[in-house]
Amino acid sequence: MITDNTKKPLLAGVIGHPIDHSKSPKLHNYWLSTHNINGFYIPLDIKPQDLTKSIESLVMLGFRGVNVTIPHKVSVLSIADTATDRASMIGAANTLYFNKDGKVTADNTDGYGFKQNIKSVDPMWNAKVGPAVVFGAGGAAKAVIHSLLSEGVPLVRILNRTRIKAEMIAENLGNRVEVIDWYAIKEALNGATTIINTTSLGMLGQPTFEPDLSNVSSDARVIDLVYNPIETDFLKIAKKCGLKTIDGIGMLFFQAEPGFKNWFNAAPVVDEKLRALFLNE
Ligand code: NAP
């Protein structure tokens, strides 16, 4: 892309509180420099009580949009003028597009990032061939479940420490989604072909996640959304059992793609060079 320095820089960012931990600035600024785009992606620490005013100000300042992280993912939906179907269904947004008419559209790209990541690593993956098991029932789980359903999965079994949260997700999703007790792991894994950890277990500073995967079918894919560390104990166990594994860092890259395309008018590249940049942190 040719840079036109006579034009104003394109602006986007990420809003959250706190925001220091976010890897999004490193990712988007890397893409901006590799595409030679005259733009900036800025981390913005915004307290919940300042959210509405801050979004109005960013629109006024000419920002193209922002990513949204904790604790604003649910509250931005009521501030946005419109929401994509997937953001409405999930009940949370991680991306805002500021349109030319000053209106704000909320989107949720986590489910997109989840499936693009699997397909990039494992093009033969097919959700339709067997049941999926989802550990966890938080925001990320909702996005993953919607994505699996849209890919034609025959059945999703959700297991969550707090069972009621899994039941609330399953409530309106029909008979392709069922809730299994958190401790009935063996039963849940029976015949499963896609197995996903969407809990924060295994994350740096959190307890580890080491379910028994010894009876899992040999063609199953085991996926962890946790990306810090990149190789979790959950994935190590799966590898020892001879199962195909997919880590969470690629999902982080792919969930960022729709925002970058919209704000900076360029298709970012997810490749080994990008992965190496994050692996060598
Ligand atoms: P969340 O809404 O806070 O949900 C957290 C989930 O973890 C809940 O199901 C919770 O169960 C479970 N959990 C937490 N501590 C637990 C414990 N000690 N034992 C059993 N279960 C426990 O968080 P989220 O936004 O869904 O994110 C979940 C994870 O996904 C995080 O590690 C996040 O970094 C990762 N993530 C990665 C990407 C990516 O791009 N790779 C994108 C989104 C999220 P309860 O309901 O019982 O509390």
Side-chain angles (χ1 to χ4, degrees):
M1 168 162 296
I2 297 160
T3 311
D4 179 353
N5 286 320
T6 61
K7 283 192 180 163
K8 278 197 288 186
L10 299 170
L11 298 175
V14 52
I15 59 171
H17 182 67
I19 201 63
D20 302 349
H21 67 284
S22 175
K23 293 191 185 291
S24 297
K26 178 173 171 173
L27 174 60
H28 284 271
N29 284 313
Y30 168 79
W31 279 335
L32 284 170
S33 78
T34 54
H35 286 274
N36 199 20
I37 291 169
N38 182 19
F40 297 96
Y41 183 97
I42 302 158
L44 299 157
D45 192 334
I46 289 169
K47 295 190 184 83
Q49 63 270 31
D50 298 331
L51 184 62
T52 307
K53 264 189 307 174
S54 301
I55 290 176
E56 282 168 7
S57 305
L58 292 171
V59 171
M60 205 177 65
L61 288 168
F63 271 65
R64 305 294 305 263
V66 285
N67 283 124
V68 182
T69 187
I70 293 165
H72 306 313
K73 283 184 161 193
V74 175
S75 37
V76 288
L77 271 187
S78 55
I79 296 169
D81 299 288
T82 53
T84 58
D85 288 348
R86 56 194 184 186
S88 303
M89 278 193 298
I90 293 162
N94 67 347
T95 308
L96 298 180
Y97 310 115
F98 301 162
N99 308 318
K100 288 207 174 82
D101 59 2
K103 301 266 190 250
V104 175
T105 301
D107 192 11
N108 191 313
T109 64
D110 273 341
Y112 168 84
F114 167 73
K115 69 179 173 197
Q116 286 307 110
N117 183 36
I118 304 179
K119 288 176 181 177
S120 77
V121 175
D122 184 0
M124 299 304 286
W125 173 71
N126 180 357
K128 293 181 182 145
V129 298
V133 171
V134 174
F135 293 103
K142 281 190 207 166
V144 163
I145 292 164
H146 279 98
S147 180
L148 289 166
L149 291 173
S150 72
E151 287 293 301
V153 72
L155 181 66
V156 180
R157 299 173 183 147
I158 318 176
L159 294 82
N160 194 49
R161 175 181 63 174
T162 312
R163 187 182 168 108
I164 182 80
K165 286 203 210 162
E167 284 168 354
M168 282 164 68
I169 294 179
E171 204 170 51
N172 299 315
L173 293 178
N175 57 7
R176 279 200 291 154
V177 180
E178 67 179 30
V179 177
I180 305 247
D181 194 78
W182 176 246
Y183 294 101
I185 293 184
K186 196 173 168 192
E187 177 196 334
L189 291 174
N190 187 24
T193 54
T194 310
I195 300 162
I196 310 121
N197 175 35
T198 78
T199 74
S200 42
L201 288 173
M203 226 170 100
L204 205 68
Q206 297 292 318
T208 185
F209 185 47
E210 298 174 293
D212 180 1
L213 301 176
S214 54
N215 290 322
V216 167
S217 125
S218 60
D219 60 347
R221 273 68 166 174
V222 177
I223 300 144
D224 205 331
L225 262 54
V226 171
Y227 54 80
N228 188 14
I230 289 175
E231 189 173 49
T232 58
D233 290 333
F234 179 54
L235 294 184
K236 283 183 189 157
I237 290 175
K239 267 190 191 161
K240 272 196 193 140
C241 295
L243 303 169
K244 278 198 178 165
T245 61
I246 299 169
D247 63 49
I249 195 78
M251 174 170 164
L252 182 79
F253 302 151
F254 283 107
Q255 61 78 33
E257 222 182 38
F260 189 89
K261 276 188 192 160
N262 180 286
W263 306 323
F264 301 117
N265 311 316
V269 176
V270 175
D271 59 10
E272 279 308 313
K273 215 167 145 195
L274 176 64
R275 215 180 133 78
L277 188 74
F278 280 79
L279 287 179
N280 298 330
E281 274 188 331

